[in-house]
Amino acid sequence: MRMVDIIIKKRDGRALSAAEIDWFVAEYTAGNIPDYQAAALMMAIYLQGMNRQETVEMTLAMARSGEMLDLHDVVPFVVDKHSSGGVGDKTTLAVQPAVAACGVPVGKMSGRGLGSSGGTLDKMESFPGWSSALTLAQYKRQLAEIGVVLAGQTGDLAPADGKLYALRDVTGTVSTMPLIAASIMSKKLATGADAILLDVKMGSGAFMHTVEDARQLARIMVDIGNDAGRKTVALISDMNQPLGHAIGNALEVKEALETLRGGGPPDFVEHCLTTAGHMLLLAGKAGDLAEAKGMVTAVFQNGAALQKFRQLVEAQGGDPAPVDNPDLLLQAAYVEPILAPRDGVIAAMDTGKIGWACVHLGGGRLVKTDEIDHAVGFVFPAKVGDWYVAGDILGYIHANDPDKLTRSRQELLDALMWTEEPAEPLPHFYGVVE
Ligand code: URA
């Protein structure tokens, strides 16, 4: 086969065969196809789409690009979760240890920042020394020993996603349903969880902008999971404003730590309770969602979830000192307020723009080789429906460069739409796909 023929076929809107998809995934993973040809194919898929069969083939080829873990020799039942990506979405940091503290092992493969959306691995690397590059043996041992493990794509586990994910991040090819579905579900299938809770975001800061699109993405991922014998459920959740208050790696870690201590912003806490609650339901640990949420609240309040998080940091080589003293996390040189430019009510936010403002501060990547600045970002409690007077403090910007501070603060302000009328607060969730 020749790569150029596959690019042309997709560019012209024709469906790729299973053999072509398998060949591309295997050869790209092996380093035999250059990034520029893979990027051209990603863009052709972005523009022309993939049908259901192609999406399933792409997912399976990517999952099989490395080992497919079977965890049953170390634990009887493993649950996993994955978000389709959003701004301020630090849910895994709080939910994974909480569910593990409730007695359900959580083995998870996460990603880095993608476009305007932050990534769990970048956030966790705010702990000096912490590493997501685990061997299969380490992954299994850690799951058996402490019931919680958080890996990145490696040469052994979903390597095709590792390479394509980094390429899509910097080639404008993230927000397309087949590539998101294949990326997420290949990771989930490769790491061998028995049950998967998907958090599919919709709104101005998500890759899916309507409930309908989010439902469609959820449907295909739930079907792929269930066909592969994994109990899979998706929540459709709101991303028309940042989740919680913090946006940016170390700032989000701080907020997750507050939540693990029984505090945290109400919208983020509600999101964590519902997400973790559904994971406990999938594992058969609770009779209904209310009971499951009660169990999660208890481990946030009694210190068990925080202790599990401390173990997760330590087991993967991180310095756990910031768990007990978050002020030890990297701090930005400049912290300045963001002031309301006028009287009025926040009617809506372009949340993607807020995510990009954080990337432009240095909190994400514009090219593959960019280093992340973990300290920068926003603490921005303002929500749709909130009323302000000109000059009120909407939040704070944390920056290491005065020019970037000025530009990103303006970018954030430009992302806000104002009204004189009252505006309804946004819902947290739009439904469940089973
Ligand atoms: N999360 C992933 O793992 N992959 C995507 O493509 C989007 C979100």
Side-chain angles (χ1 to χ4, degrees):
M1 279 188 212
R2 284 185 311 179
M3 187 59 194
V4 67
D5 297 332
I6 294 178
I7 296 169
I8 290 170
K9 190 171 178 188
K10 184 43 74 183
R11 181 200 68 190
D12 294 345
R14 285 177 290 142
L16 301 179
S17 68
E20 286 164 332
I21 291 170
D22 279 347
W23 180 85
F24 160 69
V25 171
E27 293 297 310
Y28 182 58
T29 308
N32 298 331
I33 293 171
D35 270 356
Y36 57 83
Q37 283 191 309
L41 181 62
M42 292 300 104
M43 186 56 82
I45 293 171
Y46 185 93
L47 296 172
Q48 296 289 1
M50 276 181 143
N51 64 32
R52 192 177 189 83
Q53 190 57 32
E54 288 175 287
T55 306
V56 172
E57 297 295 351
M58 187 83 179
T59 308
L60 297 178
M62 286 168 61
R64 289 189 298 244
S65 65
E67 296 279 332
M68 301 279 283
L69 280 182
D70 181 346
L71 303 168
H72 292 125
D73 54 335
V74 291
V75 277
F77 194 90
V78 182
V79 68
D80 191 354
K81 81 151 276 272
H82 205 88
S83 151
S84 64
V87 178
D89 185 7
K90 71 283 297 172
T91 309
T92 293
L93 274 55
V95 151
Q96 183 179 23
V99 173
C102 292
V104 178
V106 189
K108 171 160 171 53
M109 190 192 289
S110 282
R112 298 191 175 281
L114 201 53
S116 60
S117 143
T120 300
L121 302 183
D122 295 329
K123 292 170 202 182
M124 285 301 290
E125 285 172 2
S126 303
F127 290 95
W130 189 87
S131 169
S132 62
L134 303 179
T135 63
L136 300 185
Q138 280 172 314
Y139 189 98
K140 283 185 153 187
R141 191 169 41 216
Q142 192 175 315
L143 194 61
E145 284 175 6
I146 60 170
V148 64
V149 60
L150 182 56
Q153 311 96 327
T154 65
D156 292 331
L157 280 176
D161 184 54
K163 291 189 76 173
L164 287 171
Y165 193 95
L167 188 69
R168 287 168 55 222
D169 184 27
V170 292
T171 53
T173 53
V174 173
S175 52
T176 174
M177 216 173 288
L179 295 181
I180 295 174
S183 165
I184 292 179
M185 292 311 291
S186 64
K187 288 193 277 283
K188 303 299 100 179
L189 299 187
T191 42
D194 299 285
I196 302 162
L197 193 270
L198 299 167
D199 178 9
V200 179
K201 306 276 186 206
M202 96 80 202
S204 62
F207 300 128
M208 299 294 119
H209 292 304
T210 64
V211 173
E212 223 12 80
D213 282 352
R215 215 177 275 286
Q216 226 181 307
L217 174 62
R219 183 78 266 155
I220 189 158
M221 293 198 292
V222 167
D223 288 351
I224 290 171
N226 286 326
D227 287 351
R230 320 295 171 88
K231 280 166 83 174
T232 309
V233 168
L235 308 178
I236 312 285
S237 70
D238 184 73
M239 191 32 72
N240 282 302
Q241 59 191 353
L243 184 59
H245 298 172
I247 305 147
N249 299 285
L251 295 170
E252 292 190 43
V253 168
K254 245 184 174 173
E255 188 162 281
L257 288 169
E258 268 166 46
T259 306
L260 284 162
R261 283 205 169 77
D267 65 325
F268 179 58
V269 173
E270 175 53 30
H271 191 79
C272 289
L273 295 183
T274 303
T275 307
H278 275 278
M279 292 168 77
L280 293 179
L281 284 181
L282 278 166
K285 270 275 169 183
D288 59 32
L289 189 58
E291 185 192 346
K293 286 166 96 170
M295 291 167 72
V296 182
T297 304
V299 293
F300 280 158
Q301 286 176 353
N302 67 19
L306 187 70
Q307 169 59 8
K308 209 30 100 183
F309 184 76
R310 193 182 287 110
Q311 288 179 325
L312 173 66
V313 172
E314 261 184 317
Q316 294 183 214
D319 173 4
V323 174
D324 298 306
N325 181 4
D327 289 342
L328 294 175
L329 290 164
L330 270 187
Q331 314 261 357
Y334 306 95
V335 180
E336 290 198 5
I338 303 166
L339 304 181
R342 50 167 282 176
D343 294 359
V345 172
I346 299 182
M349 299 188 195
D350 182 342
T351 311
K353 208 169 190 172
I354 298 175
W356 281 115
C358 181
V359 173
H360 298 151
L361 276 174
R365 296 176 191 80
L366 292 170
V367 295
K368 277 205 298 191
T369 47
D370 275 350
E371 293 279 333
I372 294 276
D373 184 343
H374 288 90
V376 300
F378 302 101
V379 176
F380 189 69
K383 297 285 171 193
V384 168
D386 288 353
W387 186 86
Y388 291 96
V389 172
D392 279 354
I393 295 178
L394 300 177
Y396 289 87
I397 180 166
H398 295 234
N400 275 324
D401 174 309
D403 291 339
K404 287 183 184 170
L405 183 150
T406 306
R407 279 199 304 272
S408 288
R409 177 164 48 193
Q410 193 54 48
E411 254 183 283
L412 181 136
L413 287 171
D414 290 346
L416 307 181
M417 282 139 263
W418 295 84
T419 174
E420 269 96 54
E421 307 299 320
E424 285 294 308
L426 293 168
H428 297 305
F429 292 98
Y430 297 95
V432 180
V433 175
E434 312 219 18

